[in-house]
C-alpha cells in the first residue's frame, strides 16, 4: 500500500455510489469540497471530492487518476458537504446529482469560481478625440467612445456593453485598430458588503409582538420557532427586529421565500429596514449574476441572502439565523428530479449549524403544528392583526339558490358594486387560468381531451387555442366538434372568462387579470403588482399568485368564485390545502383602516368544512384534521414515501413496481405498509403511463432503512431499465 490517498468523488450520474480516484500525478492533493475533472467511462466529468480515504475496495490497478484539480481551496465547507450528504441520504437521491443541484450552473460546468471577464476601456488617445466630429460620420462608434469615457479607467464588462449597445462589437473593431479603446481581461467584480440607504425605523411592536420577539431572542442556539400569526399580525416586523440583532452581531441571515417575483414588497422592506442590500438567489437571474450572489454568500460579504428553495444549498461563511417565510407554501418542495423540501432541509441545516430558525405562516402546515404539540418546536402565536386592522368577515353565497352567470352570482355582483362605490378595491380569486376548463359539443357531448394525457384541454380565448396544462400541448380553437361537426361551447370558468364577465358588468372600471399567462413577459408581474398596490386597478382577477403575502392597501372585498374544487379532493391533504388558500387570499382584504369582506361561492354550503372554517377559523380546521389523521394514521402521525414509475406502456410501469414490492417483502419489517402498485391519479401524462407504490410507516428509521435497501436493489435490477423511476420522500401530493 502506498500512502497516496484515494479520493472519494461524487459524479453527476444517477447512481448512489461515490467513485474512487487517485489524485493527479503531480501537484497538491485536493481537499474535500474541491472540484476535480475525472475520466468517467469514455467521457470527462466534473466531480466533487467528498473525502479522502486510505484505501479502496477496487484493486490498485483499476483506480483511475483524476485529470485536474479545479479549485485551490474547497468550494464547499465541511458543513456544506454535510448538507449535501444529508440530502442524498434522506431523499435517497444520487449524491452526484445533489452536488449538481447545490452548485450554480457555471461551477457545475467546471468553470472557475472567479471567472475572468472580457472588459473594454478608453485609452488616453480615445479620451482626446472629438466625439461630436466622430458622431457625424460613425454615430455607433461615437456612442461606444462616449460610454467608455463615462466608465473611466475601470472600463466596462462586455456583458454590460451587450445590453447597452447591442452592436458595439462592430464599432469596437475600428476603434481598437486605431488605439482609441483597448480590450483586456479582469476578474469578475466581487459583490461587496453593500449597504443600502439609512435604516428606516419600524412601528413600535405591540404586546404580542414584543412577547414573540423576546422568545425569539432567548437563544442564539438551535431552536425551531413557528411564528403562527394571522395575516397582517406583524410577523414580518418581528422577524425584522430579530434579524437586526443578528446583523449587529456580524452574522449572516438566510431568508427563504416562496417566489421572489411574487414578493417584491418583502425584499424592499428587508432592504429598507435592515439597511442592507440583500443578495438575491432565484431562477430569474443570469448565470453570472447567480454565481456572484453565491460567491458573496460564501465569502460572507453578503450579510443577507434571500432566495427561493435552491438557496438552501448556498454556502454561508458565518450563519446566524434562517428564516422561512410562508412555511406552508408548496413551492418549497421540488416536484421533480431531486424531490427535496427546502423548508425541511432548512430545519436540518439550522440544527447542524446550531442556529435558530424561524418559520412563519398564517396557515401553518399540520407537520409544523404537530411538532409544536410534541414540544420539539416552539409555537409562537400572534392572534390579532397589528395596527388595529380588523379581521375580514367570511360569508358563503349558495350558488344553488343564487346561480352564477359567467361565474359571478348576483349577491357577489352586488357586493362588488357596493365596494367599488365606496372606493374600495376588489379581488376575484379562482384557481384556474384560461377561459374555460372544458370544451364540450352541444350536440354529442364530446369533450376535447389531450392526446398525450388523461386530461381535458383548456380553452384559451385570447390566443384562440386549446391547451393542455399538464404537457403543454396546444392546438387552434375550432368552433366545430371533432366528432360530429356541431357547434362546441366552453364549459366552466377560468380567469379569462371571469375577466370578460366583469368587463361587461362593470364598464368604466379598471380590471386587471394576474395569472401565469398574463405575467409571462419580463417585468409584467412587477408592473401588475405595482398597479394593484397603488390602487390603479379597481378589480383584480387572478389565481393563487394573488394570494401570496401581498399588501394591497385599498383592497376591501375578496370574492372566491369556485371554492368547491377542494371540498371533495382525493388527497388526504385537500381540506388543509383548501383552508390555507382561502385564509391566505382572504388575508389580502381589509389590511388597513377599512374592514374587509370575503364572499365564497359554493354549491355545498351545508358541507361541514364551511362551518368549521367560518366559526372556528384555520385553528379549528387544523385541530379537526390532526384528530382525523391520528385516527386514520396519515402524516404527520406516520411517514410516507412514494416510488413512482413511468413507461411507454402500462405493463412495464406496473411490473417494475411489482419487482420493488417483492424486494420490500424480503427486507421484511412489520411497521412498514406497502400500498399498490396502482395507476397514478392522472395515469397518462405526456404520453407516458404512470404508476406508484406507497410506503408508509410510523417508524421513520424503519422506512428509511427499507428505502435505502430498495434503492440499492433497484439500481441493479433489469426491470428498472424499461422505466423512469424516482423516490419521493414526504410527498406533498399523492399523484
Ligand atoms: P404579516 O407579516 O403578519 O402579514 P406585517 O409585518 O406585514 O404582517 O404587518 C402588517 C401591517 O401592519 C404592515 O403594514 C405593518 O407595517 C403593520 N404593522 C405591523 N406591526 C405593527 C405595529 N406594532 N404597529 C403598527 N403597525 C404595525
Ligand atoms: Zn397533455
Amino acid at each position: 500500500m502506498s500512502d497516496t490517498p484515494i479520493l472519494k468523488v461524487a459524479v453527476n450520474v444517477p447512481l448512489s455510489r461515490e467513485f474512487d480516484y487517485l489524485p493527479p500525478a503531480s501537484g497538491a492533493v485536493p481537499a474535500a469540497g474541491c472540484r476535480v475533472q475525472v475520466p468517467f467511462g469514455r467521457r470527462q466529468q466534473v466531480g466533487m471530492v467528498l473525502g479522502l480515504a486510505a484505501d479502496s475496495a477496487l484493486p490498485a490497478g483499476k483506480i483511475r487518476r483524476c485529470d485536474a484539480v479545479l479549485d485551490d481551496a474547497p468550494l464547499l465547507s465541511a458543513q456544506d458537504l454535510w448538507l449535501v450528504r444529508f440530502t442524498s441520504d434522506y431523499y435517497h437521491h444520487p449524491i452526484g446529482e445533489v452536488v449538481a443541484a447545490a452548485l450554480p450552473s457555471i461551477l457545475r460546468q467546471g468553470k472557475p469560481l472567479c471567472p475572468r471577464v472580457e472588459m473594454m476601456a478608453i485609452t488616453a488617445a480615445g479620451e482626446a478625440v472629438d466625439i461630436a466630429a466622430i458622431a457625424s460620420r460613425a454615430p455607433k462608434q461615437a456612442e461606444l467612445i462616449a460610454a467608455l469615457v463615462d466608465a473611466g479607467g475601470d472600463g466596462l464588462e462586455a456583458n454590460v456593453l451587450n445590453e447597452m449597445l447591442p452592436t458595439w462589437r462592430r464599432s469596437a473593431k475600428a476603434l481598437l485598430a486605431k488605439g482609441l479603446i483597448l480590450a483586456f481581461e479582469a476578474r469578475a467584480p466581487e459583490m461587496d458588503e453593500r449597504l443600502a440607504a439609512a435604516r428606516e425605523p419600524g412601528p413600535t411592536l405591540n404586546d404580542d409582538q414584543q412577547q414573540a420577539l423576546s422568545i425569539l431572542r432567548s437563544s442564539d442556539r438551535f431552536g425551531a420557532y413557528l411564528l403562527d400569526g394571522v395575516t397582517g399580525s406583524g410577523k414580518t416586523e418581528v422577524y425584522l427586529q430579530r434579524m437586526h440583532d443578528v446583523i449587529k452581531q456580524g452574522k449572516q441571515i438566510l431568508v427563504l421565500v416562496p417566489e421572489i417575483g411574487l414578493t417584491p414588497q418583502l425584499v424592499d422592506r428587508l432592504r429598507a429596514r435592515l439597511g442592507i442590500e440583500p443578495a438575491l438567489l432565484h431562477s430569474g437571474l443570469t448565470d453570472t449574476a447567480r454565481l456572484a450572489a453565491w460567491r458573496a454568500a460564501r465569502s460572507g460579504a453578503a450579510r443577507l441572502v434571500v432566495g427561493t428553495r435552491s438557496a438552501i444549498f448556498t454556502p454561508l461563511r458565518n450563519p446566524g439565523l434562517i428564516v422561512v417565510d410562508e412555511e406552508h407554501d408548496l413551492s418549497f418542495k421540488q416536484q421533480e428530479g431531486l424531490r427535496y423540501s427546502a423548508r425541511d432541509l432548512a430545519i436540518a441545516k439550522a440544527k447542524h449549524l446550531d442556529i435558530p430558525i424561524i418559520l412563519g405562516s398564517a396557515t401553518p402546515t399540520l407537520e409544523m403544528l404537530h411538532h409544536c404539540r410534541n414540544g420539539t418546536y416552539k409555537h409562537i402565536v400572534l392572534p390579532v392583526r397589528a395596527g388595529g386592522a380588523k379581521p375580514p368577515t367570511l360569508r358563503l353565497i349558495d350558488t344553488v339558490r343564487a346561480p352564477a352567470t359567467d361565474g359571478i352570482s348576483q349577491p357577489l355582483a352586488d357586493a362588488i358594486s357596493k365596494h367599488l362605490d365606496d372606493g374600495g378595491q376588489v379581488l376575484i380569486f379562482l384557481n384556474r387560468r384560461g377561459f374555460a376548463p372544458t370544451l364540450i359539443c352541444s350536440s354529442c357531448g364530446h369533450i376535447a381531451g389531450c392526446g398525450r394525457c388523461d386530461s381535458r384541454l383548456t380553452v384559451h380565448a385570447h390566443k384562440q387555442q386549446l391547451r393542455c396544462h399538464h404537457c403543454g400541448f396546444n392546438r387552434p380553437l375550432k368552433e366545430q366538434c371533432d366528432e360530429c361537426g356541431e357547434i362546441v361551447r366552453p364549459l366552466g370558468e377560468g380567469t379569462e372568462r371571469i375577466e370578460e364577465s366583469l368587463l361587461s358588468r362593470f364598464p368604466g372600471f379598471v380590471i386587471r387579470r394576474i395569472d401565469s399567462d398574463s405575467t409571462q413577459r419580463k417585468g409584467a408581474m412587477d408592473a401588475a403588482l405595482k398597479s394593484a398596490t397603488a390602487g390603479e386597478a379597481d378589480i383584480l382577477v387572478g389565481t393563487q399568485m394573488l394570494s401570496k403575502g401581498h399588501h394591497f392597501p385599498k383592497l376591501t372585498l375578496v370574492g372566491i368564485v369556485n371554492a368547491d374544487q377542494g371540498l371533495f379532493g382525493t388527497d388526504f391533504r385537500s381540506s388543509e390545502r383548501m383552508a390555507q388558500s382561502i385564509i391566505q387570499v382572504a388575508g389580502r382584504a381589509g389590511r388597513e383602516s377599512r374592514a374587509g369582506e370575503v364572499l365564497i361561492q359554493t354549491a355545498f354550503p351545508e358541507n361541514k368544512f364551511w362551518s368549521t372554517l367560518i366559526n372556528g377559523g384555520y385553528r379549528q380546521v387544523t385541530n379537526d384534521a390532526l384528530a382525523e389523521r391520528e385516527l386514520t394514521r396519515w402524516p404527520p402521525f406516520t411517514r410516507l414515501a412514494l416510488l413512482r414509475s413511468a413507461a411507454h406502456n402500462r405493463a412495464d410501469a406496473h411490473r417494475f413496481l411489482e419487482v420493488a414490492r417483492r424486494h420490500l417483502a424480503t427486507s421484511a419489517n412489520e411497521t412498514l405498509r406497502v400500498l399498490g402498485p396502482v395507476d397514478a391519479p392522472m395515469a397518462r401524462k405526456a404520453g407516458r403511463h404512470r404508476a406508484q407504490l406507497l410506503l408508509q410507516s410510523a417508524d421513520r428509521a424503519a422506512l428509511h432503512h427499507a428505502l435505502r435497501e430498495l434503492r440499492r436493489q433497484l439500481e441493479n435490477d433489469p426491470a428498472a431499465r424499461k422505466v423512469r423511476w424516482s423516490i419521493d420522500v414526504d410527498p406533498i401530493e399523492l399523484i
Side-chain angles (χ1 to χ4, degrees):
M1 213 50 250
S2 72
D3 11 285
T4 316
I6 307 290
L7 308 180
K8 299 283 175 187
V9 177
V11 180
N12 188 3
V13 291
L15 294 171
S16 308
R17 17 183 313 248
E18 298 165 14
F19 297 89
D20 290 356
Y21 286 93
L22 293 168
S26 61
V29 174
C34 290
R35 291 169 303 158
V36 285
Q37 189 171 319
V38 296
F40 192 89
R42 285 188 215 150
R43 288 175 302 149
Q44 289 280 312
Q45 285 264 17
V46 175
M48 164 76 57
V49 180
L50 298 172
L52 306 179
D55 44 27
S56 164
L58 290 173
K62 287 274 183 195
I63 309 178
R64 301 171 84 175
R65 219 171 248 298
C66 58
D67 294 316
V69 176
L70 301 176
D71 300 300
D72 306 333
L75 274 190
L76 299 182
S77 68
Q79 280 159 340
D80 303 325
L81 288 174
W82 175 86
L83 185 65
V84 164
R85 220 180 259 288
F86 176 85
T87 305
S88 166
D89 288 345
Y90 188 84
Y91 293 104
H92 301 276
H93 198 85
I95 189 140
E97 293 187 0
V98 177
V99 170
L103 295 179
S105 78
I106 292 181
L107 298 178
R108 202 150 63 222
Q109 295 157 21
K111 294 184 189 155
L113 176 63
C114 300
R116 315 279 305 171
V117 293
E118 183 189 4
M119 305 284 300
M120 305 298 294
I122 198 79
T123 60
E127 280 192 22
V129 297
D130 176 1
I131 297 184
I134 296 183
S136 57
R137 296 180 279 111
K140 295 277 176 198
Q141 290 187 12
E143 277 182 55
L144 180 56
I145 293 178
L148 293 176
V149 168
D150 279 351
D154 296 340
L156 281 178
E157 257 184 74
N159 273 335
V160 175
L161 283 171
N162 290 342
E163 301 236 321
M164 286 171 66
L165 308 166
T167 60
W168 69 274
R169 281 186 195 277
R170 239 174 286 154
S171 334
K173 248 191 190 157
L175 299 176
L176 281 165
K178 288 184 203 152
L180 300 180
I181 65 174
L182 73 110
F184 60 102
E185 272 198 351
R187 273 171 69 114
E190 290 302 322
M191 210 189 259
D192 36 298
E193 183 183 326
R194 289 173 304 165
L195 299 184
R199 225 162 64 81
E200 279 170 21
T204 312
L205 298 187
N206 63 33
D207 289 350
D208 291 326
Q209 287 171 311
Q210 231 0 297
Q211 206 176 348
L213 182 62
S214 63
I215 298 173
L216 293 175
R217 277 182 170 155
S218 60
S219 169
D220 289 332
R221 318 254 334 235
F222 172 69
Y225 300 88
L226 176 66
L227 189 52
D228 172 1
V230 299
T231 52
S233 59
K235 295 183 288 297
T236 313
E237 287 303 325
V238 177
Y239 306 148
L240 283 166
Q241 299 262 354
R242 184 68 181 100
M243 288 162 96
H244 182 58
D245 299 344
V246 176
I247 298 282
K248 274 196 302 193
Q249 292 168 6
K251 293 190 183 156
Q252 288 174 288
I253 301 171
L254 173 66
V255 182
L256 294 182
V257 295
E259 221 177 305
I260 285 188
L262 297 183
T263 45
Q265 291 170 333
L266 176 66
V267 174
D268 290 346
R269 205 154 146 202
L270 290 170
R271 180 186 294 119
R273 298 285 306 287
L274 296 172
I276 287 185
E277 190 59 43
L280 301 182
L281 283 156
H282 57 94
S283 57
L285 297 176
T286 63
D287 289 347
T288 3
R290 192 176 176 83
L291 179 61
W294 193 88
R295 253 195 337 253
R298 178 178 171 275
S299 72
R303 305 276 288 284
L304 179 60
V305 180
V306 183
T308 46
R309 64 173 176 254
S310 67
I312 189 59
F313 295 111
T314 311
L316 298 170
R317 184 180 186 138
N318 186 16
L321 174 69
I322 302 180
V323 175
V324 180
D325 193 31
E326 312 290 2
E327 159 287 304
H328 63 277
D329 199 279
L330 299 185
S331 73
F332 287 124
K333 174 90 192 240
Q334 176 144 303
Q335 295 282 44
E336 57 189 24
L338 169 58
R339 294 165 181 264
Y340 66 100
S341 156
R343 177 202 63 198
D344 293 347
L345 288 181
I347 297 168
K349 180 169 178 161
K351 188 165 186 185
H352 185 74
L353 297 171
D354 197 18
I355 58 172
I357 176 166
I358 308 175
L359 303 128
S361 177
T363 52
T365 52
L366 296 191
E367 278 74 9
M368 295 298 117
L369 291 170
H370 182 59
H371 278 297
C372 290
R373 285 189 178 183
N374 284 344
T376 36
Y377 299 173
K378 291 182 193 67
H379 198 180
I380 306 177
V381 179
L382 297 178
V384 294
R385 284 187 158 179
K390 300 259 170 322
T393 54
L394 270 63
R395 270 197 303 125
L396 299 178
I397 295 174
D398 179 350
T399 52
V400 177
R401 274 196 261 156
T405 10
D406 283 338
I408 309 278
S409 65
Q410 198 53 48
L412 180 56
D414 293 344
I416 296 173
S417 299
K418 182 171 165 297
H419 280 261
L420 291 176
D421 287 347
D422 292 348
Q425 192 181 37
V426 174
L427 187 163
I428 302 296
F429 172 81
L430 81 166
N431 239 344
R432 244 188 221 150
R433 61 200 171 83
F435 186 80
T438 310
L439 187 67
I440 189 167
C441 171
S442 28
S443 167
C444 75
H446 174 74
I447 285 172
C450 176
R452 311 169 66 214
C453 306
D454 291 332
S455 71
R456 295 169 173 191
L457 294 173
T458 301
V459 181
H460 283 256
H462 281 277
K463 294 240 158 107
Q464 284 291 299
Q465 273 181 346
L466 283 176
R467 278 197 230 160
C468 174
H469 286 182
H470 301 281
C471 72
F473 166 84
N474 63 70
R475 63 176 165 94
L477 184 59
K478 286 184 295 186
E479 290 186 357
Q480 277 88 29
C481 175
D482 291 334
E483 298 287 310
C484 71
E486 290 300 311
I487 298 293
V488 289
R489 66 189 166 84
L491 189 69
E493 294 84 32
T495 44
E496 283 184 8
R497 189 174 214 167
I498 298 291
E499 179 188 22
E500 201 178 279
S501 147
L502 291 167
L503 277 167
S504 67
R505 282 169 202 257
F506 302 100
F509 287 97
V510 180
I511 298 174
R512 232 173 150 145
R513 175 164 59 89
I514 302 186
D515 56 27
S516 58
D517 296 321
S518 74
T519 53
Q520 262 172 5
R521 245 180 336 102
K522 203 171 173 232
M525 184 73 209
D526 242 13
L529 289 177
K530 282 214 175 77
S531 101
T533 309
E536 289 157 17
D538 300 306
I539 307 182
L540 310 168
V541 182
T543 55
Q544 86 281 8
M545 266 189 178
L546 271 181
S547 69
K548 304 200 171 180
H550 310 295
H551 184 75
F552 302 131
K554 278 180 63 187
L555 190 80
T556 53
L557 174 67
V558 169
I560 301 179
V561 165
N562 179 359
D564 293 336
Q565 285 168 44
L567 279 184
F568 308 104
T570 48
D571 197 298
F572 69 91
R573 287 193 174 90
S574 302
S575 65
E576 177 190 357
R577 292 276 155 72
M578 179 149 141
Q580 285 168 347
S581 99
I582 290 175
I583 296 289
Q584 289 293 342
V585 69
R588 301 313 115 215
R591 289 172 67 93
E592 300 216 332
S593 53
R594 276 187 279 183
E597 189 177 5
V598 180
L599 295 178
I600 304 171
Q601 294 189 159
T602 173
F604 306 92
E606 307 299 326
N607 192 295
K608 180 164 165 285
F609 174 82
W610 295 123
S611 54
T612 311
L613 183 69
I614 291 172
N615 302 325
Y618 186 72
R619 177 85 50 231
Q620 194 57 46
V621 172
T622 54
N623 284 344
D624 288 4
L626 276 171
E628 190 183 316
R629 301 239 195 121
E630 185 161 22
L631 273 176
T632 51
R633 309 303 295 154
W634 281 109
F637 297 91
T638 53
R639 300 267 170 176
L640 299 181
L642 264 186
L643 177 65
R644 293 193 170 87
S645 72
H648 289 293
N649 68 62
R650 183 171 186 273
D652 286 338
H654 278 256
R655 197 170 305 123
F656 170 77
L657 296 178
E658 291 292 354
V659 168
R661 200 188 160 100
R662 280 198 295 279
H663 284 310
L664 286 165
T666 61
S667 66
N669 183 313
E670 62 282 7
T671 72
L672 187 69
R673 263 214 313 165
V674 182
L675 299 146
V678 293
D679 280 346
M682 196 205 302
R684 218 163 38 90
K685 185 173 168 185
R688 278 172 198 273
H689 195 94
R690 307 183 310 149
Q692 59 194 36
L693 193 67
L694 183 67
L695 283 68
Q696 185 181 40
S697 177
D699 178 352
R700 174 149 100 180
L703 176 66
H704 281 268
H705 176 76
L707 286 169
R708 198 153 26 246
E709 289 291 299
L710 180 64
R711 163 135 221 137
R712 207 173 43 76
Q713 288 161 324
L714 292 178
E715 280 185 2
N716 297 311
D717 200 300
R721 289 190 207 126
K722 288 196 169 164
V723 300
R724 283 193 195 159
W725 62 280
S726 62
I727 292 175
D728 188 354
V729 176
D730 305 331
I732 56 167
E733 271 170 329
L734 300 187
I735 52 168

